[in-house]
């Protein structure tokens, strides 16, 4: 299958670098796509930070819980 694809300058350079190693265009593009599919993200894991507020709130009734947290004048 033939398809016209326009590369951004950075990806075009990556393709050309692989072509300089003797790979064809299709092989170079497939290699780069595969590398992108398996690359690990370097994000730190999410950690929930909590603080003790010193109060206990019954959240079975949302309206009452909001009134305790925001005060009766919040409405």
């Amino acid at each position: 299958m033939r398809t016209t694809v326009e590369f951004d300058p950075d990806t075009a350079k990556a393709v050309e670098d692989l072509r300089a190693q003797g790979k064809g265009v299709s092989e170079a593009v497939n290699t780069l796509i595969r590398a992108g599919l398996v690359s690990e993200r370097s994000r730190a894991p999410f950690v929930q930070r909590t603080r003790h507020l010193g109060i206990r709130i019954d959240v079975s009734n949302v309206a009452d819980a909001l009134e305790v947290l925001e005060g009766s004048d919040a409405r």
Side-chain angles (χ1 to χ4, degrees):
M1 174 173 81
R2 292 190 176 265
T3 303
T4 301
V5 178
E6 294 182 20
F7 296 112
D8 290 338
D10 57 335
T11 53
K13 177 162 179 8
V15 170
E16 288 304 317
D17 290 346
L18 289 175
R19 291 201 65 213
Q21 297 173 14
K23 294 185 178 188
V25 174
S26 294
E27 187 180 3
V29 170
N30 284 321
T31 299
L32 292 170
I33 290 171
R34 285 187 190 101
L37 289 173
V38 297
S39 69
E40 300 259 340
R41 293 188 178 191
S42 60
R43 283 185 0 189
F46 175 77
V47 177
Q48 179 66 49
R49 289 183 238 144
T50 60
R51 299 258 190 248
H52 180 67
L53 299 176
I55 58 174
R56 291 188 182 263
I57 299 173
D58 178 16
V59 293
S60 59
N61 184 326
V62 175
D64 288 345
L66 288 173
E67 188 169 325
V68 169
L69 292 170
E70 297 176 347
S72 59
D73 295 335
R75 293 184 182 168

Coordinates of all heavy atoms in Angstrom, one line a residue:
M1 N 0.8 -1.2 0.0 CA 0.0 0.0 0.0 C 0.9 1.2 0.0 O 1.8 1.3 0.8 CB -0.9 0.0 1.2 CG -1.7 1.2 1.4 SD -2.9 1.1 2.8 CE -1.9 1.5 4.1
R2 N 0.6 2.2 -0.8 CA 1.4 3.4 -0.9 C 0.5 4.6 -0.3 O -0.6 4.7 -0.6 CB 1.7 3.8 -2.3 CG 2.7 2.8 -2.9 CD 3.3 3.3 -4.2 NE 4.3 2.5 -4.7 CZ 5.6 2.6 -4.5 NH1 6.0 3.7 -3.8 NH2 6.4 1.8 -5.0
T3 N 1.2 5.3 0.6 CA 0.5 6.5 1.2 C 1.5 7.6 1.3 O 2.7 7.4 1.6 CB 0.1 6.1 2.7 OG1 -0.8 4.9 2.6 CG2 -0.6 7.2 3.4
T4 N 1.0 8.8 1.1 CA 1.9 10.0 1.3 C 1.8 10.4 2.7 O 0.7 10.6 3.3 CB 1.4 11.1 0.4 OG1 1.5 10.6 -1.0 CG2 2.3 12.3 0.5
V5 N 3.0 10.6 3.4 CA 3.0 11.0 4.8 C 4.0 12.2 4.8 O 5.1 12.2 4.3 CB 3.5 9.9 5.7 CG1 3.7 10.3 7.1 CG2 2.6 8.7 5.6
E6 N 3.6 13.2 5.5 CA 4.5 14.4 5.8 C 5.0 14.3 7.2 O 4.3 14.2 8.1 CB 3.7 15.7 5.6 CG 3.3 15.9 4.1 CD 2.5 17.2 3.9 OE1 2.7 18.1 4.8 OE2 1.8 17.3 2.9
F7 N 6.3 14.4 7.3 CA 7.0 14.3 8.6 C 7.4 15.6 9.1 O 7.7 16.5 8.4 CB 8.3 13.4 8.5 CG 8.0 12.0 8.1 CD1 8.5 11.5 6.9 CD2 7.4 11.1 9.0 CE1 8.3 10.2 6.6 CE2 7.2 9.8 8.7 CZ 7.6 9.3 7.5
D8 N 7.3 15.8 10.4 CA 7.8 17.0 11.1 C 9.3 16.9 11.0 O 9.9 15.8 10.8 CB 7.4 17.1 12.5 CG 5.9 17.4 12.7 OD1 5.3 18.0 11.7 OD2 5.3 17.1 13.7
P9 N 10.0 18.0 11.1 CA 11.5 18.0 11.0 C 12.2 17.0 11.9 O 13.1 16.3 11.5 CB 11.9 19.4 11.3 CG 10.7 20.3 11.0 CD 9.5 19.4 11.3
D10 N 11.7 16.9 13.2 CA 12.4 16.0 14.1 C 12.2 14.5 13.7 O 13.1 13.7 13.8 CB 11.9 16.2 15.5 CG 10.4 16.1 15.7 OD1 9.7 16.3 14.7 OD2 10.0 15.8 16.8
T11 N 11.0 14.2 13.3 CA 10.8 12.8 12.8 C 11.4 12.5 11.5 O 11.9 11.4 11.3 CB 9.3 12.5 12.8 OG1 8.6 13.4 12.0 CG2 8.6 12.5 14.2
A12 N 11.5 13.5 10.6 CA 12.2 13.3 9.4 C 13.7 13.0 9.6 O 14.3 12.1 8.9 CB 12.0 14.5 8.5
K13 N 14.2 13.7 10.6 CA 15.7 13.4 10.9 C 15.8 12.0 11.5 O 16.8 11.4 11.1 CB 16.2 14.5 11.9 CG 17.6 14.2 12.3 CD 18.3 15.4 12.9 CE 19.7 15.2 13.4 NZ 20.4 14.0 13.0
A14 N 14.9 11.6 12.3 CA 15.0 10.2 12.9 C 14.9 9.2 11.8 O 15.7 8.2 11.8 CB 13.9 10.0 13.9
V15 N 14.0 9.4 10.8 CA 13.9 8.5 9.7 C 15.2 8.5 8.9 O 15.8 7.4 8.5 CB 12.7 8.8 8.8 CG1 12.7 8.0 7.5 CG2 11.4 8.6 9.5
E16 N 15.7 9.7 8.6 CA 17.0 9.8 7.8 C 18.2 9.2 8.6 O 19.0 8.5 7.9 CB 17.3 11.3 7.5 CG 16.4 11.8 6.4 CD 16.4 11.0 5.1 OE1 17.5 10.6 4.7 OE2 15.3 10.8 4.6
D17 N 18.2 9.3 9.9 CA 19.3 8.7 10.7 C 19.2 7.1 10.5 O 20.3 6.5 10.4 CB 19.2 9.0 12.1 CG 19.5 10.5 12.4 OD1 20.1 11.2 11.5 OD2 19.2 11.0 13.5
L18 N 18.0 6.6 10.5 CA 17.9 5.1 10.4 C 18.2 4.7 8.9 O 18.8 3.6 8.7 CB 16.5 4.7 10.8 CG 16.2 4.7 12.3 CD1 14.8 4.3 12.5 CD2 17.2 3.7 13.0
R19 N 17.9 5.6 8.0 CA 18.2 5.2 6.6 C 19.7 5.3 6.3 O 20.2 4.5 5.5 CB 17.5 6.3 5.6 CG 16.0 6.1 5.7 CD 15.3 6.6 4.5 NE 15.7 5.9 3.3 CZ 15.8 6.4 2.1 NH1 15.5 7.7 1.9 NH2 16.1 5.7 1.1
A20 N 20.4 6.1 7.1 CA 21.8 6.2 6.9 C 22.5 4.9 7.4 O 23.6 4.5 7.1 CB 22.4 7.3 7.7
Q21 N 21.7 4.1 8.3 CA 22.2 2.8 8.8 C 21.8 1.7 7.8 O 22.0 0.5 8.1 CB 21.6 2.5 10.1 CG 22.0 3.5 11.2 CD 21.3 3.3 12.5 OE1 20.6 2.3 12.7 NE2 21.3 4.3 13.4
G22 N 21.3 2.0 6.7 CA 21.0 1.0 5.6 C 19.5 0.6 5.6 O 19.2 -0.4 4.9
K23 N 18.6 1.1 6.4 CA 17.2 0.7 6.4 C 16.5 1.5 5.4 O 16.8 2.7 5.0 CB 16.6 1.0 7.8 CG 17.2 0.1 8.9 CD 16.4 0.3 10.2 CE 17.0 -0.7 11.2 NZ 16.3 -0.7 12.4
G24 N 15.4 0.9 4.8 CA 14.6 1.6 3.9 C 13.6 2.5 4.6 O 13.5 2.5 5.9
V25 N 12.9 3.3 3.9 CA 11.9 4.3 4.6 C 10.9 3.5 5.4 O 10.6 3.9 6.5 CB 11.3 5.2 3.5 CG1 10.2 6.1 4.1 CG2 12.3 6.0 2.8
S26 N 10.3 2.5 4.8 CA 9.2 1.8 5.5 C 9.7 1.1 6.7 O 9.1 1.2 7.8 CB 8.6 0.7 4.6 OG 7.9 1.4 3.5
E27 N 10.9 0.5 6.6 CA 11.5 -0.2 7.8 C 11.9 0.8 8.9 O 11.7 0.6 10.1 CB 12.7 -0.9 7.3 CG 13.3 -1.8 8.4 CD 14.6 -2.6 8.0 OE1 15.0 -2.4 6.8 OE2 15.1 -3.4 8.8
A28 N 12.4 2.0 8.5 CA 12.7 3.0 9.4 C 11.5 3.6 10.2 O 11.5 3.7 11.4 CB 13.5 4.2 8.7
V29 N 10.5 3.8 9.4 CA 9.2 4.3 10.0 C 8.6 3.3 11.0 O 8.2 3.6 12.1 CB 8.2 4.8 8.9 CG1 6.8 5.0 9.5 CG2 8.7 6.0 8.2
N30 N 8.6 2.0 10.5 CA 8.0 1.0 11.4 C 8.9 0.8 12.7 O 8.3 0.6 13.7 CB 8.0 -0.4 10.6 CG 6.8 -0.4 9.7 OD1 5.7 0.1 10.0 ND2 7.0 -1.0 8.5
T31 N 10.2 0.9 12.6 CA 11.0 0.8 13.7 C 10.7 1.9 14.7 O 10.6 1.7 15.9 CB 12.5 0.9 13.3 OG1 12.8 -0.2 12.4 CG2 13.5 0.9 14.5
L32 N 10.6 3.2 14.2 CA 10.3 4.3 15.1 C 8.9 4.2 15.7 O 8.7 4.5 16.9 CB 10.4 5.6 14.3 CG 11.8 6.0 13.9 CD1 11.8 7.1 12.9 CD2 12.6 6.3 15.1
I33 N 7.9 3.7 15.0 CA 6.6 3.5 15.5 C 6.6 2.4 16.6 O 6.0 2.6 17.7 CB 5.6 3.1 14.4 CG1 5.3 4.3 13.5 CG2 4.3 2.6 15.0 CD1 4.5 3.9 12.2
R34 N 7.3 1.3 16.4 CA 7.4 0.3 17.4 C 8.0 0.8 18.7 O 7.6 0.5 19.8 CB 8.1 -0.9 16.8 CG 7.3 -1.7 15.9 CD 8.0 -3.0 15.5 NE 7.2 -3.6 14.4 CZ 7.6 -3.6 13.1 NH1 8.7 -3.0 12.8 NH2 6.8 -4.1 12.2
A35 N 9.1 1.6 18.5 CA 9.8 2.1 19.7 C 8.9 3.0 20.5 O 8.9 3.0 21.7 CB 11.0 2.9 19.2
G36 N 8.0 3.8 19.8 CA 7.1 4.7 20.5 C 6.0 3.9 21.2 O 5.5 4.3 22.2
L37 N 5.6 2.8 20.6 CA 4.5 2.0 21.2 C 5.0 1.3 22.5 O 4.1 1.1 23.4 CB 4.0 0.9 20.2 CG 3.2 1.4 19.0 CD1 3.0 0.3 18.1 CD2 1.9 2.0 19.5
V38 N 6.2 1.0 22.6 CA 6.7 0.2 23.8 C 7.4 1.1 24.8 O 7.8 0.6 25.8 CB 7.6 -1.0 23.4 CG1 6.8 -2.0 22.6 CG2 8.8 -0.6 22.7
S39 N 7.6 2.4 24.5 CA 8.4 3.2 25.4 C 7.7 3.4 26.7 O 6.4 3.5 26.7 CB 8.7 4.6 24.7 OG 7.6 5.3 24.6
E40 N 8.4 3.4 27.8 CA 7.8 3.7 29.1 C 7.7 5.2 29.3 O 8.6 5.9 29.0 CB 8.8 3.1 30.2 CG 9.0 1.6 30.0 CD 8.2 0.8 31.0 OE1 7.7 1.4 32.0 OE2 8.0 -0.4 30.7
R41 N 6.6 5.5 30.0 CA 6.5 6.9 30.4 C 7.3 7.2 31.6 O 7.3 6.4 32.5 CB 5.0 7.3 30.6 CG 4.2 7.2 29.3 CD 2.8 7.7 29.5 NE 2.1 7.7 28.3 CZ 1.0 8.2 28.1 NH1 0.4 8.9 29.1 NH2 0.4 8.2 26.9
S42 N 7.9 8.3 31.7 CA 8.8 8.6 32.8 C 8.1 9.5 33.8 O 8.7 10.4 34.4 CB 10.0 9.3 32.3 OG 9.7 10.5 31.6
R43 N 6.8 9.3 34.0 CA 6.0 10.0 35.0 C 6.1 9.3 36.4 O 6.1 8.1 36.5 CB 4.5 10.1 34.7 CG 4.3 11.1 33.6 CD 2.9 11.4 33.2 NE 1.9 10.7 34.0 CZ 0.6 10.7 33.7 NH1 0.2 11.3 32.6 NH2 -0.3 10.0 34.3
A44 N 6.2 10.2 37.4 CA 6.2 9.6 38.7 C 4.9 9.1 39.1 O 3.8 9.6 38.6 CB 6.6 10.7 39.7
P45 N 4.8 8.0 39.8 CA 3.5 7.4 40.2 C 2.7 8.4 41.0 O 3.3 9.2 41.8 CB 3.8 6.2 41.0 CG 5.2 6.3 41.4 CD 5.9 7.2 40.4
F46 N 1.4 8.4 40.9 CA 0.5 9.3 41.6 C 0.5 8.8 43.1 O 0.3 7.7 43.4 CB -0.9 9.2 41.0 CG -1.9 10.0 41.8 CD1 -1.9 11.4 41.7 CD2 -2.8 9.4 42.7 CE1 -2.8 12.2 42.5 CE2 -3.7 10.2 43.4 CZ -3.7 11.5 43.3
V47 N 0.6 9.8 44.0 CA 0.6 9.6 45.4 C -0.5 10.5 46.0 O -0.3 11.7 45.8 CB 1.9 9.7 46.1 CG1 1.8 9.5 47.6 CG2 2.9 8.8 45.5
Q48 N -1.5 10.0 46.6 CA -2.5 10.8 47.2 C -2.0 11.4 48.5 O -1.6 10.7 49.4 CB -3.8 10.0 47.5 CG -4.9 10.8 48.1 CD -5.5 11.9 47.2 OE1 -5.8 11.6 46.1 NE2 -5.6 13.1 47.7
R49 N -2.0 12.7 48.6 CA -1.6 13.3 49.9 C -2.8 13.6 50.7 O -3.8 14.2 50.2 CB -0.8 14.6 49.6 CG 0.6 14.3 49.0 CD 1.3 15.6 48.8 NE 1.6 15.7 47.3 CZ 1.6 16.7 46.6 NH1 1.4 17.9 47.1 NH2 1.9 16.6 45.3
T50 N -2.7 13.3 52.0 CA -3.9 13.5 52.9 C -3.4 14.3 54.1 O -2.2 14.4 54.4 CB -4.5 12.2 53.3 OG1 -3.5 11.5 54.1 CG2 -5.0 11.4 52.2
R51 N -4.3 15.0 54.7 CA -4.1 15.8 55.9 C -5.2 15.5 56.9 O -6.4 15.4 56.5 CB -4.1 17.3 55.6 CG -3.0 17.7 54.6 CD -1.9 18.4 55.3 NE -1.0 19.0 54.4 CZ 0.2 18.6 54.1 NH1 0.7 17.6 54.7 NH2 0.9 19.2 53.3
H52 N -4.8 15.4 58.1 CA -5.8 15.2 59.2 C -6.4 16.6 59.5 O -5.7 17.5 59.8 CB -5.2 14.7 60.4 CG -6.1 14.4 61.5 ND1 -7.1 13.5 61.5 CD2 -6.3 15.0 62.7 CE1 -7.8 13.5 62.6 NE2 -7.3 14.5 63.4
L53 N -7.8 16.7 59.3 CA -8.5 18.0 59.5 C -8.9 18.1 61.0 O -9.4 19.2 61.4 CB -9.6 18.1 58.6 CG -9.3 18.0 57.1 CD1 -10.5 18.0 56.2 CD2 -8.4 19.2 56.7
G54 N -8.9 17.0 61.7 CA -9.3 17.1 63.1 C -10.8 17.0 63.3 O -11.3 17.2 64.4
I55 N -11.6 16.8 62.2 CA -13.0 16.7 62.3 C -13.5 15.4 61.6 O -12.8 14.9 60.7 CB -13.8 17.9 61.7 CG1 -13.4 18.1 60.2 CG2 -13.5 19.2 62.5 CD1 -14.3 19.2 59.6
R56 N -14.6 14.9 62.0 CA -15.2 13.8 61.3 C -16.5 14.2 60.7 O -17.3 14.9 61.4 CB -15.4 12.6 62.3 CG -14.1 12.0 62.7 CD -14.4 10.7 63.5 NE -13.2 10.1 64.0 CZ -12.6 9.2 63.4 NH1 -13.0 8.6 62.3 NH2 -11.5 8.7 63.9
I57 N -16.7 13.8 59.5 CA -18.0 14.2 58.8 C -18.7 13.0 58.3 O -18.1 12.2 57.6 CB -17.6 15.2 57.6 CG1 -16.9 16.4 58.1 CG2 -18.9 15.5 56.8 CD1 -16.4 17.3 57.1
D58 N -19.9 12.9 58.6 CA -20.8 11.8 58.0 C -21.2 12.3 56.6 O -21.8 13.3 56.4 CB -22.0 11.7 58.9 CG -23.0 10.6 58.4 OD1 -22.5 9.8 57.5 OD2 -24.1 10.6 58.8
V59 N -20.7 11.5 55.6 CA -21.0 11.9 54.2 C -22.2 11.1 53.7 O -22.4 11.1 52.4 CB -19.8 11.7 53.4 CG1 -18.7 12.6 53.7 CG2 -19.3 10.3 53.4
S60 N -23.0 10.4 54.5 CA -24.1 9.7 54.0 C -25.2 10.7 53.5 O -26.0 10.3 52.6 CB -24.7 8.8 55.0 OG -25.1 9.5 56.2
N61 N -25.2 11.9 54.0 CA -26.1 13.0 53.5 C -25.2 14.1 53.0 O -24.6 14.9 53.7 CB -27.0 13.5 54.6 CG -28.0 14.5 54.1 OD1 -27.8 15.3 53.2 ND2 -29.2 14.4 54.7
V62 N -25.1 14.2 51.7 CA -24.2 15.2 51.0 C -24.6 16.6 51.4 O -23.7 17.4 51.7 CB -24.2 15.0 49.5 CG1 -23.4 16.1 48.8 CG2 -23.8 13.6 49.1
A63 N -25.8 17.0 51.5 CA -26.2 18.3 51.8 C -25.8 18.7 53.2 O -25.2 19.8 53.4 CB -27.7 18.5 51.7
D64 N -25.9 17.8 54.2 CA -25.5 18.0 55.5 C -24.0 18.2 55.6 O -23.4 19.0 56.3 CB -25.9 16.9 56.5 CG -27.4 17.0 56.8 OD1 -28.1 18.0 56.4 OD2 -27.9 16.0 57.3
A65 N -23.2 17.3 54.8 CA -21.8 17.4 54.8 C -21.3 18.7 54.3 O -20.4 19.3 54.8 CB -21.2 16.2 54.0
L66 N -21.9 19.2 53.2 CA -21.5 20.5 52.6 C -21.8 21.6 53.6 O -21.0 22.6 53.6 CB -22.3 20.7 51.3 CG -21.8 19.8 50.1 CD1 -22.7 20.0 48.9 CD2 -20.3 20.1 49.8
E67 N -22.9 21.5 54.3 CA -23.2 22.6 55.2 C -22.2 22.6 56.4 O -21.8 23.7 56.8 CB -24.6 22.3 55.8 CG -25.1 23.5 56.7 CD -26.6 23.4 57.0 OE1 -27.3 22.9 56.2 OE2 -26.9 23.9 58.2
V68 N -21.7 21.4 56.8 CA -20.7 21.4 57.8 C -19.4 22.0 57.3 O -18.7 22.8 58.0 CB -20.5 20.0 58.3 CG1 -19.2 19.9 59.2 CG2 -21.7 19.4 59.1
L69 N -19.0 21.7 56.1 CA -17.8 22.1 55.5 C -17.8 23.6 55.1 O -16.8 24.3 55.3 CB -17.4 21.2 54.3 CG -17.0 19.8 54.6 CD1 -16.9 19.0 53.3 CD2 -15.7 19.7 55.4
E70 N -18.9 24.0 54.5 CA -18.9 25.4 53.9 C -19.6 26.3 54.8 O -19.5 27.6 54.6 CB -19.6 25.3 52.5 CG -18.9 24.5 51.5 CD -19.6 24.4 50.2 OE1 -20.8 24.7 50.2 OE2 -19.0 24.0 49.2
G71 N -20.4 25.8 55.7 CA -21.2 26.7 56.6 C -22.6 26.9 56.0 O -22.8 26.8 54.8
S72 N -23.5 27.3 56.9 CA -24.9 27.5 56.4 C -25.1 28.7 55.6 O -26.1 28.8 54.8 CB -25.8 27.5 57.7 OG -25.4 28.6 58.5
D73 N -24.2 29.7 55.6 CA -24.3 30.9 54.8 C -23.8 30.7 53.4 O -23.9 31.6 52.6 CB -23.5 32.0 55.5 CG -24.1 32.4 56.8 OD1 -25.3 32.2 57.0 OD2 -23.3 32.9 57.6
A74 N -23.3 29.6 53.0 CA -22.7 29.3 51.7 C -23.7 29.3 50.6 O -23.4 29.5 49.4 CB -21.8 28.1 51.7
R75 N -24.9 29.0 50.9 CA -25.9 28.9 49.9 C -26.5 30.2 49.6 O -26.8 30.9 49.0 CB -27.1 28.0 50.4 CG -26.6 26.6 50.5 CD -27.7 25.7 50.9 NE -27.1 24.4 51.1 CZ -27.8 23.4 51.6 NH1 -29.0 23.5 52.0 NH2 -27.2 22.2 51.8

